Amino acid sequence: VSPAATPPLYRSLALARRRAVEAARRAFAGSRVVATDRLHATILAALLGVPVLAEDNTYGKIARYWHAW
């Protein structure tokens, strides 16, 4: 689908998403370690090669993810 055929709301959301991911990447890449209880923060830090101190939340998502991999 060409960008011109994409509805304006989708283009706006896509731009906001790219900006949010880039801001998180910059923040995490400049860190010596990331301490979090959020799964997506754990994954992003790991992908960037930043050491992670992951505290599991009440849902147990981080532990389930860790054991799956």
Side-chain angles (χ1 to χ4, degrees):
V1 176
S2 72
T6 305
L9 176 61
Y10 292 146
R11 286 194 306 266
S12 177
L13 291 173
L15 178 60
R17 184 176 52 245
R18 282 193 303 272
R19 287 180 176 166
V21 169
E22 179 58 24
R25 188 202 62 78
R26 281 194 312 270
F28 283 25
S31 300
R32 290 192 322 219
V33 66
V34 171
T36 185
D37 66 348
R38 309 302 295 179
L39 178 61
H40 289 93
T42 301
I43 294 169
L44 180 58
L47 287 171
L48 293 171
V50 178
V52 182
L53 296 174
E55 177 75 27
D56 212 359
N57 57 24
T58 58
Y59 302 120
K61 281 200 285 187
I62 293 175
R64 286 195 313 270
Y65 178 81
W66 179 263
H67 293 294
W69 292 96

